[in-house]
Amino acid sequence: FGRNQKTMKKLMIFILSMPLFLSAADFGVGYSNFDIDLGDGDSVSLGAIALTVGKTTEDGKFSGEFGIMVPAQDDKFDGIDVELKTAPYIRGMYHINENFFLSAGWMKLEAEVSYGGYRDSGSDTEGAIGIGVAIPLNNDGEIRLIYENVDDADLVSVKYNF
């Protein structure tokens, strides 16, 4: 029950904050892959579907987005299952030009590990910095490719903004 209650809180925060972003907002959907360094050359790779809502300033120099990552791919390491939990995030971007941008953000990451019937989870709030490229499309949409460093993890995202 406690885990479902936490998920419901996150969902309610997301739903209640939507009206703040809906007027003239940009929406996006994409896939993000976390490659988490465990040391000694070992790593786990976790994937998530990213749903975002954002806004760009009138001059096009800055933009921001609020998003939520929904788990889509788990991984195993030495027989231990590693699973990403639903993760909210905020990202701000400075657009160097029409195609390239720098990003900085905040993520609330939570993961769960299980092995032989034993389960444990942990969460952390992490800052992220990165760089990206935006590829404009003819239909006023764009595709964004983003690389970010989040503590001991590399985050690569591909997203379609419409």
Side-chain angles (χ1 to χ4, degrees):
F1 179 74
R3 189 174 302 152
N4 288 338
Q5 197 172 26
K6 285 183 180 180
T7 302
M8 288 304 297
K9 279 184 184 178
K10 292 175 186 174
L11 185 59
M12 289 304 297
I13 290 170
F14 182 70
I15 291 170
L16 292 174
S17 64
M18 290 299 289
L20 299 173
F21 294 98
L22 290 180
S23 69
D26 300 321
F27 296 92
V29 62
Y31 184 80
S32 296
N33 186 71
F34 288 92
D35 186 34
I36 303 169
D37 181 15
L38 301 175
D40 296 331
D42 297 320
S43 67
V44 292
S45 184
L46 304 172
I49 302 295
L51 306 170
T52 64
V53 61
K55 183 95 171 115
T56 302
T57 59
E58 285 186 31
D59 64 3
K61 283 287 194 191
F62 297 95
S63 62
E65 64 185 23
F66 171 76
I68 192 160
M69 290 189 211
V70 180
Q73 174 193 337
D74 301 337
D75 200 358
K76 262 189 177 179
F77 173 74
D78 283 345
I80 300 170
D81 291 319
V82 182
E83 178 183 331
L84 182 67
K85 296 297 183 182
T86 302
Y89 69 92
I90 296 172
R91 178 184 290 133
M93 289 159 279
Y94 169 71
H95 300 268
I96 298 167
N97 59 34
E98 198 173 288
N99 297 103
F100 294 97
F101 60 90
L102 302 174
S103 69
W106 167 91
M107 297 179 181
K108 174 71 173 169
L109 299 174
E110 184 176 358
E112 182 176 274
V113 295
S114 59
Y115 179 76
Y118 175 75
R119 298 179 92 74
D120 196 9
S121 64
S123 65
D124 201 0
T125 302
E126 297 290 345
I129 59 170
I131 189 164
V133 62
I135 303 164
L137 302 174
N138 291 336
N139 63 357
D140 289 332
E142 72 178 2
I143 294 176
R144 283 189 183 164
L145 305 170
I146 306 169
Y147 166 80
E148 291 177 296
N149 183 274
V150 184
D151 197 24
D152 290 330
D154 294 322
L155 175 62
V156 177
S157 303
V158 176
K159 190 172 71 155
Y160 173 68
N161 280 354
F162 47 94

